Amino acid sequence: MTITHVIRSSGVMVPPSESTPSGTLDFSVMDALPIVQMDVHSIHVFRHGQEPTKLIREAVSKALVPYYPLAGRLNRLSDGSLQVNCTGEGAWFIEASADYSLESVNYFDDILLVPHDDLLPTSPPESDGLDPLVRIQLTYFTCGGYVIAQSNPHSLLDGIGAAQWLSTVGEFARGFQKSTIAPVWNREAIPTTAGVIREPGVSPPPPSMPLSFELLEPASIDISQEHINKLKNEFAELTGDYCSTFDVVVASLWRHRTQAIELEKETEVNLMFGVNTRQFLEPPMPEGYYGNCFYPVKVTISSGWLVEASHAEVVKLIKDAKARVPTEFRKWLKGDELEASDDPFSFPLAYTTLCISAWNGLGFNTVDHGWGHPVHIFPIQKDLSIMPVGALGLPPSPNKGIRVMTCCVNKKHLPSLVDYFK
């Protein structure tokens, strides 16, 4: 089936439903890191809805009262720090309709065929002088189902925060008078001294660029819950220790990807992923915090070791790296003297580096506007990736397990990677 018709409205600015505080709020030093200076795009597919546009638009307006910074505008200072001007102007909301049903495209089960250019919200015309922080498009389908697509700066909302915000929208749509989890700004809890110490006036180095670019091919890989449980049980029997779903899935992907790309044995390969560090602050970050609070984990080993190691050995390597996070994060918070080259938030963008993000446990799957949870959630990378990435998500309900959405190998190596998981 060829998908040709999605009709968008011109879009409207949705302000908070009540008056909200004005003034300026400072972002944390973590929100201003180069690694989070990007927009995050996500798509959420819902099976049922009864003319949901008006209800959800009103819910967005209500949710912007406790989340009033999201209705403001970003201000970047000359020193690179960020602020939000709490203007109360609102979020950008687009209503759209499709002339086909979600059933006809199997609820976008094949994410490689998702028409994200039709589903993701466009920005307001430049002539309007509007620069909203949050952009939402609700697309209604002939079957009564709908898709919510959101774009927002990573500096404003991390993954946990974005899921928390969308859950609050769902609660107001269901008639709640206030959100279950009260949002907390609290960016000042991350010390301004955090990070690599540099000479005054020297900016943090951006992630290093690859020497050569690889054209990366997207793929979607499903790993069943039965297989995940089997790998967990094998690790427990061999080591007497526990490992998580994240550990076994990432170990499998990293190991099989390295086998697929056929590197020389001495070649260093890197695994990168972020760990939520809210609980490692003193005192811990309160529930409801929706800014960035994470620490990057980097695991480096030779290609030869990785492809020859057992699955359990790779899992242990990942677990050991995660166990070092509390100590390393607290050291980073204190601003201990480090060379710029040791900045943990700067890493090589190379074909030998695999970057992982975990979407499966953030809370997006429990968002409910009154007609049930989404059947499918996935991130969208609008621009061609220049670094190998893998996002861990959930397969469309009612299936169990993990869906790995990757853009991590070139066309030559893609068949080998996919074959490992069959």
Side-chain angles (χ1 to χ4, degrees):
M1 174 181 176
T2 302
I3 299 168
T4 56
H5 293 100
V6 171
I7 301 173
R8 290 185 173 97
S9 70
S10 57
V12 296
M13 199 63 69
V14 178
S17 61
E18 303 173 13
S19 61
T20 55
S22 58
T24 301
L25 292 172
D26 291 325
F27 282 67
S28 75
V29 294
M30 189 172 286
D31 297 322
L33 290 167
I35 197 173
V36 296
Q37 299 313 300
M38 66 184 80
D39 280 350
V40 178
H41 314 279
S42 61
I43 289 178
H44 313 255
V45 183
F46 293 85
R47 191 182 302 273
H48 304 295
Q50 299 172 3
E51 299 182 357
T53 304
K54 182 175 183 293
L55 181 69
I56 294 176
R57 185 173 61 236
E58 290 176 351
V60 168
S61 182
K62 292 176 181 178
L64 284 173
V65 175
Y67 282 92
Y68 66 91
L70 277 61
R73 298 296 179 260
L74 195 64
N75 183 27
R76 187 179 297 275
L77 303 181
S78 58
D79 63 359
S81 60
L82 297 174
Q83 295 177 329
V84 60
N85 295 327
C86 300
T87 61
E89 292 173 85
W92 183 244
F93 190 95
I94 297 174
E95 177 183 358
S97 61
D99 65 352
Y100 58 98
S101 69
L102 285 171
E103 292 103 327
S104 68
V105 290
N106 200 20
Y107 296 91
F108 297 123
D109 176 76
D110 187 349
I111 64 170
L112 304 183
L113 301 179
V114 174
H116 54 78
D117 286 339
D118 288 336
L119 300 178
L120 288 174
T122 55
S123 298
E126 291 185 10
S127 59
D128 290 351
L130 303 173
D131 191 17
L133 291 173
V134 175
R135 303 184 302 280
I136 296 171
Q137 178 172 313
L138 189 155
T139 305
Y140 193 65
F141 293 79
T142 58
C143 57
Y146 61 99
V147 166
I148 294 281
Q150 176 169 291
S151 300
N152 62 266
H154 199 314
S155 55
L156 179 69
L157 296 163
D158 73 351
I160 295 172
Q164 182 181 300
W165 147 253
L166 288 174
S167 293
T168 298
V169 172
E171 289 177 343
F172 280 112
R174 301 201 311 272
F176 285 40
Q177 297 303 306
K178 63 178 182 179
S179 56
T180 301
I181 299 176
V184 176
W185 183 257
N186 207 40
R187 314 277 169 134
E188 65 278 3
I190 298 177
T192 57
T193 55
V196 176
I197 302 300
R198 303 176 181 86
E199 294 296 324
V202 177
S203 300
S208 56
M209 299 302 291
L211 296 175
S212 62
F213 292 92
E214 295 279 353
L215 185 63
L216 302 176
E217 295 287 326
S220 180
I221 298 167
D222 286 341
I223 304 177
S224 70
Q225 190 61 51
E226 291 77 12
H227 187 62
I228 291 169
N229 291 340
K230 178 176 178 288
L231 293 175
K232 286 183 176 182
N233 291 335
E234 287 177 355
F235 182 81
E237 291 172 3
L238 288 170
T239 66
D241 196 7
Y242 163 84
C243 67
S244 68
T245 294
F246 177 92
D247 298 334
V248 297
V249 170
V250 172
S252 293
L253 179 63
W254 189 29
R255 186 163 168 261
H256 292 322
R257 177 189 183 269
T258 304
Q259 290 173 324
I261 63 178
E262 301 176 321
L263 299 169
E264 295 291 333
K265 288 188 174 183
E266 301 78 19
T267 306
E268 280 194 349
V269 290
N270 303 300
L271 174 69
M272 304 286 301
F273 56 89
V275 172
N276 174 25
T277 52
R278 286 161 167 79
Q279 69 273 29
F280 302 139
L281 286 164
E282 297 175 358
M285 197 68 85
E287 183 182 32
Y289 181 75
Y290 56 93
N292 291 282
C293 191
F294 71 99
Y295 192 78
V297 174
K298 178 181 177 183
V299 187
T300 302
I301 202 72
S302 72
S303 170
W305 184 94
L306 187 57
V307 299
E308 294 170 6
S310 68
H311 185 268
E313 288 174 319
V314 181
V315 168
K316 186 176 185 306
L317 193 68
I318 293 170
K319 280 174 58 68
D320 289 347
K322 288 164 60 179
R324 295 190 292 268
V325 168
T327 299
E328 294 178 359
F329 176 64
R330 289 178 180 129
K331 181 179 179 181
W332 181 84
L333 280 180
K334 293 176 182 176
D336 287 354
E337 293 284 348
L338 294 172
E339 296 295 329
S341 59
D342 295 328
D343 184 352
F345 289 89
S346 181
F347 53 89
L349 301 180
Y351 198 51
T352 51
T353 299
L354 175 64
C355 297
I356 298 292
S357 62
W359 283 65
N360 54 308
L362 298 176
F364 289 115
N365 60 309
T366 62
V367 173
D368 185 356
H369 303 111
W371 303 288
H373 299 154
V375 294
H376 202 9
I377 311 113
F378 43 89
I380 289 292
Q381 192 164 346
K382 290 183 66 176
D383 303 315
L384 181 66
S385 174
I386 60 171
M387 65 178 178
V389 296
L392 273 57
L394 298 172
S397 61
N399 299 328
K400 304 294 183 183
I402 293 293
R403 169 163 289 184
V404 183
M405 296 157 281
T406 76
C407 192
C408 69
V409 293
N410 60 28
K411 188 174 183 178
K412 172 185 175 182
H413 297 138
L414 183 61
S416 295
L417 175 65
V418 173
D419 284 347
Y420 283 122
F421 290 93
K422 287 183 177 178

